[in-house]
Amino acid sequence: FVEWQPEFYGARFLRQQQQGIYPARAFVQTPVERMLAANPPVGFQRNLEHLIVIARYQGIVPVLVSFVSCPCRPGGLGSKEMLAEIEEMNTLQRELARELDASFFDLASVFPMDEALFLDSIHMSPAGAGRQAQLLAEFLIESQLIPVR
């Protein structure tokens, strides 16, 4: 049910990773690392900046949370290229939180790298989602971002 634009190479990269044929076709001449370096996450940064401003305008306290990825399942979503991009976005969030004086929870630094908590390298199992919720709740309480009853 997802239709990709012809120039979107993300799905091609993941498919090649999953099939074990990377690099093939366009990636032979232009490795994904070069594509990613030429396309920094500018849109991601702007979206976060806007979300923070809009949240504050509405009286909401914004909290940025790092994205957890597990290298326990290599290839595709767990490829070194994808994991590096996730780390780049986490670093961007950390810096943006500091610049805009927003709260930042580095979930990736405290989340257990237990394969049972993941369905693949980035999607959590029900147990993983529960652990994520528990860690986030603890952070919100300890940071006094939500009242304790």
Side-chain angles (χ1 to χ4, degrees):
F1 59 85
V2 174
E3 186 175 316
W4 304 103
Q5 295 299 315
E7 65 276 1
F8 177 67
Y9 287 92
R12 294 178 198 178
F13 170 74
L14 292 175
R15 192 169 33 257
Q16 287 184 20
Q17 283 280 320
Q18 291 165 343
Q19 294 172 351
I21 61 171
Y22 176 82
R25 298 191 175 144
F27 297 112
V28 172
Q29 292 183 323
T30 309
V32 73
E33 294 92 345
R34 193 162 32 153
M35 291 180 183
L36 293 168
N39 295 285
V42 175
F44 178 69
Q45 179 178 347
R46 287 185 186 144
N47 286 344
L48 286 178
E49 290 168 346
H50 294 158
L51 287 170
I52 291 168
V53 169
I54 291 167
R56 285 190 172 139
Y57 180 79
Q58 295 295 327
I60 299 166
V61 177
V63 178
L64 301 178
V65 180
S66 65
F67 193 81
V68 178
S69 57
C70 183
C72 54
R73 307 228 178 161
L77 296 170
S79 69
K80 64 181 175 53
E81 296 88 356
M82 290 293 289
L83 296 174
E85 286 306 298
I86 290 168
E87 183 53 39
E88 179 181 15
M89 290 189 288
N90 284 345
T91 298
L92 190 147
Q93 285 192 80
R94 188 178 299 108
E95 292 170 357
L96 195 57
R98 190 171 27 255
E99 288 173 23
L100 299 178
D101 195 31
S103 293
F104 176 74
F105 176 44
D106 193 358
L107 177 64
S109 71
V110 297
F111 197 85
M113 289 297 113
D114 178 350
E115 194 170 340
L117 299 177
F118 293 86
L119 298 174
D120 58 30
S121 294
I122 63 170
H123 298 101
M124 294 188 186
S125 67
R131 183 71 177 127
Q132 178 183 22
Q134 178 186 17
L135 290 167
L136 181 56
E138 290 169 3
F139 170 79
L140 294 173
I141 292 167
E142 289 169 11
S143 301
Q144 298 180 351
L145 292 169
I146 58 172
V148 179
R149 295 179 199 208

